[in-house]
Amino acid sequence: MQDKGAAMTEATNEVLVLTALPLEFRAMHGLLLEPKRIDHAGTVFACGRLRGTSWTVYLAITGAGNDSAAAITERAVSYFRPQAAFFTGIAGSLKPDVFPNDVVVALEVYAYHGGKEDSEGFKVRPRSWETTHLLQQVAMYADNATDWRAKLPEADRDIKVHFKPIAAGDRVLNSPAGSSPRLFLDQNYNDAVAVDMEGAGFASAAHKAAVPHLLVRGISDMADGTKQTTDGVGMQESAARNAALFLAEVIAQISPASSPSGPNLSSAPLEPVNELIWHPLDRPVEVSWRKDLFPSGPHTSGPSLLEIHLVPVPSTVRVPVSRMRQLANELADLGRSRGFFSNLERLEVHDLADMIAVTVNDRRGRSAGLAITRSGQRSAWEPLPNPGLTYVLDEEHTRERITVLLALLEAVEGPATPSYAPAAAIEKTMLVTVERLSEVNRNSAGLRTSDTPIVAEPEEAVTAAAVASHGTELAEELTARLIYSFRTPRRR
C-alpha cells in the first residue's frame, strides 16, 4: 500500500475521475502518464498526470450503482481534496437524435427511482442535482472552440456533444420504446436524454462535499432492447473512449491554480464554514413576489405581510411535474411540524401549473403560506405583528421570524441548487410602523402616504450551505435592508 501524503504535497493541481466499469477505467487510464497505484480504505486508485497538461488525475472504479458511486465519491473527495470531481463512462440514449458514440454532458442529474408505493400505485418522489456551472461552461468551450475531435477515429469525428439532463436509476434500462419503463421516463423526466446507474450517487455526494463536479457520458446503446447487439460490436469501448477524450479536453481547458488567466477552479466561490459571503449578481434575479403568485382574489387583501423568497442561482432548475404533485402534502406536513401552521387551522392547497402553495386565511386576519414554483423558488409569508391599530416592523422580532422562515424554506425537499438569491418584502405598508413592539401605542396608528411594498431585492447570492448554517446572519441582513427600504422606499 502506498501512502498518499507525499503525492498530496507534490501535486497542487489535482482532479478526481471516477468510472463504474473496467472498460471505462481503461479508456481514461490510457490518457495518463506514468500512472502509479494508491490504495485508500479498500479502493485502488491510479494516479498520473493527464497528457499535455499539468493536472494530476486520481482515477478509480466505483462499481455499478448509485450507492457505490456515492460512497466512493465521498471517500475520495474527503481524502484527496481535489479541485474538481468528474464521472465518466457509458450510458444509454433516451432520445432518437442522441446516437451511439455521441457524448452527453449532464447539466442536471435525476434520481428517478425515488417514490412511494401505495394502494393508488407508484408516486414519484425524485431528487435532482445540477452539475457545476463553471465546468459546464468549460465543457461548452471545449466542444466549440477546440479541435478535440481530431483525436477520435475519422469515422467518429462527426459525433455530437449534448448538454442536457440525464436520469440515473438502480437497474440497467434496455426496454423498447412504448414499454412501461420508457413511458415512465418520458412522462416524468422528458428532458433527460440519457440514462445511467451512477450519476445520482456521484452528483449527490459531490454536491454535499461542495466540490465542483461534472458528469460526462458516451452513448453506447439506445436502451431500447438492442443493447446486446451494440455491445457485441464494441460500442461500449468506443463510447467510453469518446467520453474519456472529451473529458480530457475539458480538464485541459481548466486553468491550474498557478495560472494567472482562464477559468480557475481555485477561485470558485465555495463557502468558508465560519463566514457568510454575499456574491454580487450582474443584475437582480427575477423573483415571483406574493402578488405575482396570487395576482387576484381574496389573497390580495388582508393584513400587512412579511414575505421571504429563496430564488435559485443559476435559474436553470425545473421541478418535475410529478414531483410538484407530491409537494402539497409535504408543505402542509412541514408547516405543521415546524409550528408554522397550527393543527387546528384549515389549510387551502393551490395546485397550479407553475406553483404549489399551501395557505391559511382565517377570520382573525391571519394569512400565511408556503409555496414552491417549478423554477425552484421557495417562498413563505406571514402577517406582521398587530398589537393595536398598526402593524409593527420591530427589528428584533423581524430578525427572529426571518430566521425561522429561512430554516423552513431550507427544509423543503426541492431540487438541489448551489446558490440562492434571498429576497424579502412587506405588503400593504400604509399602516406599518418601525418601532419596538414593547413601545407601541395600541390606540394610535402611523399612516404612510403610500401603500408601496417595502422591498429587499435579490441582488446578491449566497450558497445553499450558507442558508442552512448562517440563517441568523442572513436574517439580520435582510431585516436591515427592509428597514432601510422602509425609510427610503423604491417602487417595484
Side-chain angles (χ1 to χ4, degrees):
M1 178 184 296
Q2 279 186 261
D3 177 49
K4 172 69 171 61
M8 284 292 285
T9 57
E10 292 170 5
T12 58
N13 302 313
E14 303 174 332
V15 295
L16 172 69
V17 178
L18 298 175
T19 68
L21 304 176
L23 67 92
E24 300 164 340
F25 178 92
R26 292 194 295 270
M28 196 71 201
H29 189 267
L31 304 178
L32 304 182
L33 293 174
E34 301 180 352
K36 298 178 180 179
R37 173 174 168 170
I38 295 176
D39 291 23
H40 172 61
T43 301
V44 177
F45 294 84
C47 173
R49 186 165 60 84
L50 182 65
R51 294 179 185 274
T53 76
S54 61
W55 286 100
T56 295
V57 173
Y58 296 100
L59 175 67
I61 302 173
T62 66
N66 284 305
D67 289 347
S68 178
I72 300 300
T73 301
E74 189 280 331
R75 184 181 303 166
V77 169
S78 176
Y79 185 61
F80 295 113
R81 298 192 178 278
Q83 290 181 254
F86 301 91
F87 207 104
T88 186
I90 61 176
S93 172
L94 294 175
K95 301 293 183 182
D97 59 344
V98 179
F99 299 105
N101 278 339
D102 280 359
V103 172
V104 174
V105 175
L107 302 183
E108 188 172 4
V109 183
Y110 298 126
Y112 71 86
H113 274 144
K116 177 183 179 182
E117 189 77 45
D118 60 21
S119 59
E120 297 178 0
F122 184 74
K123 297 178 181 178
V124 178
R125 289 186 177 180
R127 296 291 307 276
S128 67
W129 298 268
E130 285 190 353
T131 54
T132 300
H133 177 70
L134 171 61
L135 293 178
Q136 294 174 9
Q137 291 289 302
V138 174
M140 291 177 186
Y141 179 88
D143 182 40
N144 293 289
T146 73
D147 61 349
W148 76 274
R149 288 177 178 81
K151 301 174 184 178
L152 299 173
E154 188 170 352
D156 285 351
R157 291 179 185 173
D158 60 347
I159 66 169
K160 294 182 179 180
V161 178
H162 306 267
F163 294 85
K164 295 285 186 178
I166 72 164
D170 296 321
R171 57 178 178 265
V172 175
L173 180 67
N174 188 32
S175 301
S179 62
S180 295
R182 295 297 292 261
L183 288 174
F184 173 82
L185 286 169
D186 186 59
Q187 291 170 358
N188 296 286
Y189 307 91
N190 184 260
D191 56 343
V193 301
V195 61
D196 73 7
M197 293 176 60
E198 298 80 30
F202 164 74
S204 173
H207 174 79
K208 291 174 181 175
V211 63
H213 58 284
L214 194 67
L215 186 70
V216 177
R217 291 290 195 179
I219 298 299
S220 62
D221 60 83
M222 299 302 291
D224 61 356
T226 62
K227 178 175 172 58
Q228 186 174 4
T229 300
T230 53
D231 288 356
V233 297
M235 291 303 299
Q236 286 189 328
E237 288 77 5
S238 60
R241 175 203 63 213
N242 293 355
L245 285 171
F246 181 68
L247 176 56
E249 186 62 39
V250 172
I251 296 172
Q253 293 301 321
I254 302 169
S255 295
S258 57
S259 174
S261 62
N264 189 327
L265 288 175
S266 64
S267 62
L270 300 181
E271 193 72 49
V273 296
N274 60 348
E275 185 179 359
L276 173 64
I277 296 178
W278 293 81
H279 304 289
L281 302 172
D282 292 336
R283 56 186 177 184
V285 298
E286 184 176 350
V287 58
S288 295
W289 302 98
R290 183 181 174 278
K291 70 177 182 62
D292 303 318
L293 299 175
F294 297 105
S296 62
H299 306 286
T300 58
S301 62
S304 297
L305 298 176
L306 168 67
E307 57 183 87
I308 300 297
H309 309 274
L310 293 177
V311 186
V313 178
S315 56
T316 56
V317 174
R318 295 294 288 174
V319 184
V321 173
S322 56
R323 175 65 181 137
M324 293 287 286
R325 295 170 184 165
Q326 302 158 4
L327 281 167
N329 287 337
E330 294 181 23
L331 289 176
D333 291 343
L334 176 65
R336 282 192 164 126
S337 68
R338 298 293 184 97
F340 184 68
F341 302 128
S342 78
N343 291 329
L344 298 178
E345 287 180 323
R346 181 180 177 275
L347 302 183
E348 185 175 355
V349 175
H350 309 267
D351 186 353
L352 306 177
D354 288 319
M355 177 194 71
I356 292 290
V358 178
T359 64
V360 57
N361 292 273
D362 63 27
R363 295 178 181 177
R364 296 171 298 170
R366 174 166 152 76
S367 177
L370 290 173
I372 185 168
T373 67
R374 280 212 68 205
S375 64
Q377 176 183 310
R378 307 171 184 204
S379 303
W381 58 90
E382 66 179 19
L384 287 178
N386 177 217
L389 299 177
T390 191
Y391 291 92
V392 180
L393 181 59
D394 173 277
E395 183 173 1
E396 183 177 353
H397 177 271
T398 303
R399 182 172 62 246
E400 291 175 355
R401 293 310 302 166
I402 293 179
T403 301
V404 170
L405 296 180
L406 286 172
L408 190 62
L409 295 180
E410 194 274 332
V412 174
E413 287 287 341
T417 187
S419 300
Y420 288 106
I426 296 176
E427 287 186 8
K428 304 196 175 302
T429 60
M430 189 167 288
L431 291 176
V432 174
T433 182
V434 175
E435 58 184 307
R436 292 182 180 179
L437 278 168
S438 60
E439 299 176 359
V440 172
N441 185 336
R442 296 174 181 267
N443 298 315
S444 66
L447 186 65
R448 300 182 78 218
T449 58
S450 169
D451 208 26
T452 303
I454 301 168
V455 180
E457 296 277 5
E459 299 174 329
E460 296 172 287
V462 297
T463 64
V467 176
S469 61
H470 295 279
T472 301
E473 294 172 67
L474 275 172
E476 185 174 7
E477 176 65 19
L478 290 174
T479 300
R481 293 183 186 189
L482 284 174
I483 292 175
Y484 176 81
S485 180
F486 182 90
R487 291 169 175 159
T488 56
R490 54 179 174 174
R491 295 186 178 273
R492 63 164 161 87

